């Protein structure tokens, strides 16, 4: 992209004039992938051992990430979530957290992690100013974990969750991808475990995003099935009916325990999606299902002024009409979204590259 011969006038977006896309959705939440690498090989996400990794020199430096986030927050972003790949594999992550925590426009600075390294790093992250953490937790059974994640590190994940609990991170969340015949018999066990560690469990429907090369519709344990199963076990389940842009619908059990369901596959929430994603190498994606991203790294490295980057971001956001999950849901014959050969040619199509 480089320098524009006729730079557009920088958009003057103040807090009062909310920048919205063509469906009226604000630019509110940014997920920043800090690495495409992961220390697990979950078979619903990145089951292969080797991938085409992003070249090191193309990764954004922490300074570059902080500068871009600054531009995004000047345009209305208030929620920033660090993700990956596995974000704790990025060396010295607390330094980035400290830089972002100094940005007063960020109201919610969160991290999504598989927890394997969280016992080691949690304290430094908390001290650096991380507000919240969401940990992935698909099974309480070590052997099942090893089969699902391709690594024997269940004990580390449990220790990571215990650390997050001990450090007193508020609004702790545990995310579970529910796959039929794999872990759909653990919903209640996970809810009980969540109660013990004072975390809210969120059940995610298995999605056919980039890396999910083993996906098929019959493996999707649906929101309706989850509610049915939990209703049989606990009795009446009450929806909380919140009016929010959060992906999870929340429910209450008769004893007051709250849990969430993220039904991206059967009940997509594109209409309220205010999320966009920045890859570790600085491509900006407007939708998890988008086939192409906007190269912001090139603008940064060509020393394009921040106002001009802001103008580009706002004009792209104003034109946004993406409804990827809804369009997928409307597809009749539904198989794997992206085949392994296509993924090999374009690593940006991977979920672990664009940040889940
Ligand atoms: N490594 C970190 C972790 O495990 O939380 C962050 C990245 S991971 C891609 C983010 C989230 O995406 C995880 O909770 C993971 O379970 C979820 N995820 C990955 N593939 C998925 C799929 N096919 N369907 C639904 N959720 C998926």
């Amino acid at each position: 992209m480089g320098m524009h011969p006729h730079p557009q006038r920088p958009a003057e977006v103040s807090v009062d004039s909310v920048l919205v896309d063509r469906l009226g959705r604000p630019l509110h939440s940014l997920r920043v992938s800090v690495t495409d690498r992961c220390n697990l090989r979950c078979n619903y996400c990145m089951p292969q051992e080797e991938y085409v990794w992003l070249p090191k020199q193309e990764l954004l430096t922490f300074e570059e990430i902080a500068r871009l986030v600054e531009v995004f927050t000047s345009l209305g972003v208030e929620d920033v979530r660090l993700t990956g790949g596995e974000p704790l594999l990025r060396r010295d992550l607390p330094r980035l957290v400290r830089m972002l925590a100094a940005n007063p426009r960020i109201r919610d600075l969160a991290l999504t992690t598989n927890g394997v390294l969280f016992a080691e790093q949690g304290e430094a992250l908390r001290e650096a100013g991380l507000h919240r953490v969401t940990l992935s937790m698909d099974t309480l059974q070590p052997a099942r974990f090893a089969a699902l994640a391709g690594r024997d590190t269940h004990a580390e994940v449990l220790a990571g969750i215990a650390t997050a609990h001990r450090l007193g991170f508020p609004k702790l969340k545990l995310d579970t991808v529910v796959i039929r015949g794999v872990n759909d018999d653990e919903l209640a066990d996970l809810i009980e475990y969540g109660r013990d560690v004072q975390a809210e469990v969120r059940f995610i429907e298995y999605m056919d995003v980039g890396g999910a090369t083993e996906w098929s519709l019959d493996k999707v344990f649906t929101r309706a099935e989850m509610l049915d199963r939990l209703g049989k076990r606990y009795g009446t389940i009450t929806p909380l009916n919140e009016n929010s842009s959060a992906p999870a619908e929340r429910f209450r059990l008769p004893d007051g325990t709250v849990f969430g369901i993220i039904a991206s596959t059967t009940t997509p929430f594109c209409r309220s999606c205010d999320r966009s994603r920045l890859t570790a190498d600085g491509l900006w994606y407007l939708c998890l299902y988008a086939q192409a991203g906007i190269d912001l790294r090139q603008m940064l490295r060509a020393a394009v002024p921040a106002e001009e980057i802001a103008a580009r971001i706002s004009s792209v956001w104003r034109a946004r009409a993406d409804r990827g999950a809804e369009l997928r849901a409307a597809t009749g014959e539904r198989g794997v979204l992206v085949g392994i050969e296509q993924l090999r040619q374009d690593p940006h199509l991977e979920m672990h590259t664009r940040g889940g």
Side-chain angles (χ1 to χ4, degrees):
M1 192 173 310
M3 299 285 275
H4 295 291
H6 304 293
Q8 297 166 19
R9 217 175 133 258
E12 279 157 24
V13 178
S14 71
V15 189
D16 312 321
S17 65
V18 178
L19 172 62
V20 293
D21 71 5
R22 271 164 55 198
L23 302 178
R25 301 168 297 187
L27 175 69
H28 184 76
S29 160
L30 182 70
R31 303 181 71 106
V32 179
S33 171
V34 292
T35 178
D36 54 331
R37 303 201 173 232
C38 192
N39 43 3
L40 297 182
R41 287 293 178 275
C42 299
N43 58 29
Y44 56 78
C45 185
M46 48 185 301
Q48 314 283 315
E49 271 310 314
E50 276 307 317
Y51 285 89
V52 182
W53 306 110
L54 300 176
K56 281 261 154 57
Q57 68 279 9
E58 290 184 6
L59 299 189
L60 297 183
T61 63
F62 287 167
E63 285 69 21
E64 288 172 329
I65 293 175
R67 270 164 60 204
L68 273 186
V69 168
E70 185 84 40
V71 175
F72 276 102
T73 56
S74 78
L75 294 170
V77 165
E78 293 184 331
D79 295 353
V80 174
R81 177 171 293 276
L82 300 177
T83 180
E86 172 45 39
L88 301 189
L89 289 181
R90 179 81 186 245
R91 192 175 314 155
D92 209 10
L93 191 68
R95 190 169 77 83
L96 175 64
V97 168
R98 198 171 297 283
M99 290 163 80
L100 297 178
N103 180 335
R105 289 191 171 112
I106 301 180
R107 294 240 193 110
D108 188 24
L109 178 57
L111 170 81
T112 298
T113 171
N114 61 32
V116 174
L117 297 171
F118 199 78
E120 283 169 35
Q121 299 188 23
E123 196 152 350
L125 289 162
R126 185 89 167 112
E127 272 169 17
L130 183 68
H131 302 166
R132 286 196 310 117
V133 57
T134 298
L135 295 114
S136 299
M137 163 43 83
D138 297 322
T139 173
L140 292 166
Q141 303 177 21
R144 195 175 268 190
F145 178 91
L148 185 67
R151 301 285 185 273
D152 196 6
T153 49
H154 192 250
E156 285 86 336
V157 174
L158 293 180
I161 295 171
T163 301
H165 174 44
R166 179 175 58 77
L167 291 171
F169 276 100
K171 295 197 256 171
L172 197 61
K173 295 207 175 79
L174 301 180
D175 279 357
T176 304
V177 180
V178 185
I179 303 177
R180 187 184 311 283
V182 174
N183 61 349
D184 63 277
D185 56 346
E186 285 193 67
L187 304 190
D189 293 348
L190 285 158
I191 284 191
E192 305 294 323
Y193 171 75
R195 224 183 252 147
D196 292 346
V197 294
Q198 285 167 3
E200 190 170 308
V201 179
R202 303 191 307 175
F203 299 114
I204 309 177
E205 282 180 353
Y206 188 12
M207 294 172 71
D208 57 346
V209 279
T213 47
E214 297 178 9
W215 187 91
S216 64
L217 195 52
D218 59 299
K219 291 187 194 153
V220 179
F221 196 75
T222 66
R223 167 188 180 279
E225 291 172 298
M226 295 179 200
L227 288 173
D228 182 55
R229 170 109 13 128
L230 288 168
K232 283 188 179 125
R233 162 77 187 252
Y234 291 105
T236 309
I237 295 176
T238 315
L240 295 188
N241 288 329
E242 295 155 316
N243 200 0
S244 106
S245 68
E249 247 182 296
R250 296 167 80 226
F251 301 89
R252 186 179 289 115
L253 297 177
D255 70 358
T257 306
V258 173
F259 69 95
I261 296 183
I262 303 181
S264 329
T265 303
T266 64
T267 327
F269 41 87
C270 301
R271 297 289 160 160
S272 62
C273 178
D274 58 9
R275 248 156 257 116
S276 64
R277 300 170 142 75
L278 189 63
T279 62
D281 62 345
L283 294 196
W284 181 44
Y285 282 85
L286 304 184
C287 174
L288 190 53
Y289 284 89
Q291 296 288 310
I294 287 107
D295 190 348
L296 298 178
R297 182 193 69 221
Q298 212 183 332
M299 293 186 93
L300 275 179
R301 294 196 180 165
V304 173
E307 305 76 56
E308 215 178 296
I309 300 179
R312 169 90 175 127
I313 291 172
S314 21
S315 73
V316 169
W317 189 263
R318 275 197 213 98
R320 176 185 187 247
D322 297 63
R323 298 188 295 119
E326 283 179 1
L327 296 180
R328 276 300 286 167
T331 315
E333 282 288 297
R334 203 166 164 181
V336 167
L337 176 66
V338 189
I340 187 77
E341 288 312 318
Q342 201 188 342
L343 286 173
R344 284 204 179 106
Q345 279 159 28
D346 183 359
H348 287 101
L349 294 172
E350 297 280 2
M351 170 90 149
H352 64 264
T353 302
R354 56 180 55 186

